[in-house]
């Protein structure tokens, strides 16, 4: 009798919960795909995945001669290339790109990017949005401005660079990048403390990350540095 009563009470409770009108948040991202132009149709003769893989190999995996690497950076990147990366840092320009690549190669001379997949969306006229999940392996053998003096520690971490490429005067080039490395894992493996947050990352609902016409990052989504009040 007691068991039957317990079952009835449980069923009654479930019935009341099922009929309850839970409050909705009122927020979703449907406007992003409802707006015209999320993706663009057009001819797709260009082998985008091959380009992404080969350009990555030539810049990061195949050479350690800085002049050779720089020649590939100039071949595959526009002069005003822009990037959002670790801690929301925003950088722009070829000189800054060359500096960042050289810092990385000096600190991790045996770095390898193990590409595990590549996705492309777009066409030969407007360009392509690309995503490349990758596993980094590297040994900390040189000085790095964040990680300090070499520790000899081996690290393995994921990254997901999201880029835009365009055909510029017959040469396909990267115009912009949003890189999403698993930085916390890297800091942890090297025994480093993450630096303080200095960038503010805005949102811009219903608008895409990359501009199809220019190939650059939506200006409303470009991070800006935190304001520091003077004492």
């Amino acid at each position: 009798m007691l068991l039957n009563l317990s079952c009835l009470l449980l069923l009654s409770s479930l019935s009341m919960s099922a009929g309850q009108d839970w409050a909705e948040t009122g927020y979703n991202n449907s406007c992003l795909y409802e707006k015209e132009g999320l993706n663009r149709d057009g001819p797709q003769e260009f082998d985008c995945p091959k380009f992404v893989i080969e350009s990555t190999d030539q810049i990061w995996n195949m050479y350690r001669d800085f002049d050779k690497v720089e020649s590939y950076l100039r071949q595959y990147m526009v002069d005003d290339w822009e990037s959002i990366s670790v801690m929301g840092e925003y950088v722009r320009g070829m000189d800054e790109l060359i500096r960042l690549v050289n810092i990385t190669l000096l600190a991790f001379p045996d770095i390898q990017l193990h590409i595990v997949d590549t996705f492309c969306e777009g066409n030969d006229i407007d360009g392509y949005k690309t995503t490349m999940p990758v596993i980094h392996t590297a040994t900390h053998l040189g000085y790095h401005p964040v990680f300090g003096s070499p520790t000899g520690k081996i690290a393995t971490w994921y990254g997901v660079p999201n880029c835009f490429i365009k055909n510029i005067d017959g040469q396909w080039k990267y115009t912009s990048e949003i890189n999403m490395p698993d930085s916390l894992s890297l800091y942890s493996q090297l025994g480093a403390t993450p630096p303080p947050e200095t960038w503010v990352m805005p949102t811009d609902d219903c608008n895409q990350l990359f501009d199809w016409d220019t190939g650059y990052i939506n200006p409303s989504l470009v991070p800006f540095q935190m304001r520091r009040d003077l004492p």
Side-chain angles (χ1 to χ4, degrees), residues 118-134:
T118 302
F119 310 96
C120 293
E121 184 68 51
N123 63 78
D124 297 353
I125 298 173
D126 298 297
Y128 290 87
K129 298 182 288 187
T130 77
T131 295
M132 186 192 73
V134 61

Side-chain angles (χ1 to χ4, degrees), residues 168-219:
I168 299 175
D169 298 327
Q171 170 66 52
W172 284 91
K173 289 178 177 281
Y174 294 92
T175 54
S176 53
E177 169 197 68
I178 311 295
N179 194 14
M180 298 180 176
D182 186 1
S183 301
L184 185 59
S185 175
L186 178 59
Y187 286 117
S188 176
Q189 291 176 66
L190 296 183
T193 301
E197 185 76 40
T198 60
W199 293 83
V200 177
M201 284 160 278
T203 59
D204 186 28
D205 289 349
C206 305
N207 293 303
Q208 294 184 61
L209 176 60
F210 297 114
D211 185 298
W212 277 105
D213 295 324
T214 66
Y216 292 106
I217 299 168
N218 172 1

Side-chain angles (χ1 to χ4, degrees), residues 28 33 35 46 49 64 70 85 96 102 109 139 141 149 153 155 158 169-170 179 189 202 206 217:
N28 62 64
Y33 65 78
K35 289 183 67 173
F46 176 63
R64 286 300 177 263
E70 181 178 334
S85 189
E96 187 67 12
N102 284 345
T139 310
L141 298 173
S149 299
K153 294 181 178 180
Y158 256 102
D169 298 327
N179 194 14
Q189 291 176 66
C206 305
I217 299 168

